[in-house]
Amino acid sequence: MTKYEHYVSPDQVLGFIREKVAFGALIGDTGVIADANGHKVIPAGTPVGGDTSMLDDENAILAVATDATKGTVQGILEFPVDVTAGTADGTVIDNGYINRLRLPENVTISKDMEKALHDKTIGGKVIFISRNK
């Protein structure tokens, strides 16, 4: 008898892998609401930031960025991060191309947020494209 198993992997939000610069970062659960099963998962493609730069302090705890201020938003989550148990490790894209067509349905990035990520005062720039879903 053959046993089949199905695995789920997150969609890739990057438009191009070659230009990507990403850093490991601590992601906090501030403002994240639990789903019906009690899980708190921040989807890939979500902008994150904080008052302390992840480039200057590897122990900086970033959170979901709701403010498009250049100094606050620092990057985009490359993969989903489960913060159900509190602060967790994540990968933050600091420089690269993000494909809007590959963002999860529940992730919306305003034009102000896109501009802030492109015009960051520290680090690289994130550019948004819409091609080749």
Side-chain angles (χ1 to χ4, degrees), residues 2 5 7 23 44-45 62 78 83 89 92-93 99 104 115 130:
T2 303
E5 293 191 30
Y7 298 95
F23 295 92
L62 305 183
E78 186 170 4
V83 293
D89 293 327
V92 179
I93 299 169
N99 191 338
K115 183 168 176 25
S130 298

Side-chain angles (χ1 to χ4, degrees), residues 34-128:
D35 65 12
N37 297 320
H39 295 120
K40 292 181 176 182
V41 178
I42 305 171
T46 300
V48 293
D51 294 332
T52 305
S53 170
M54 70 172 179
L55 301 178
D56 294 334
D57 181 359
E58 63 190 30
N59 294 313
I61 298 176
L62 305 183
V64 174
T66 56
D67 183 2
T69 306
K70 290 181 194 175
T72 303
V73 64
Q74 296 182 37
I76 297 286
L77 286 179
E78 186 170 4
F79 304 105
V81 178
D82 188 337
V83 293
T84 304
T87 300
D89 293 327
T91 304
V92 179
I93 299 169
D94 175 64
N95 186 81
Y97 292 86
I98 303 296
N99 191 338
R100 287 184 204 94
L101 301 178
R102 295 181 184 167
L103 293 173
E105 290 180 14
N106 56 344
V107 174
T108 303
I109 300 177
S110 69
K111 290 295 181 189
D112 287 341
M113 186 67 77
E114 285 185 18
K115 183 168 176 25
L117 284 159
H118 184 269
D119 297 337
K120 292 187 305 173
T121 55
I122 298 174
K125 59 174 65 176
V126 177
I127 299 168
F128 289 83

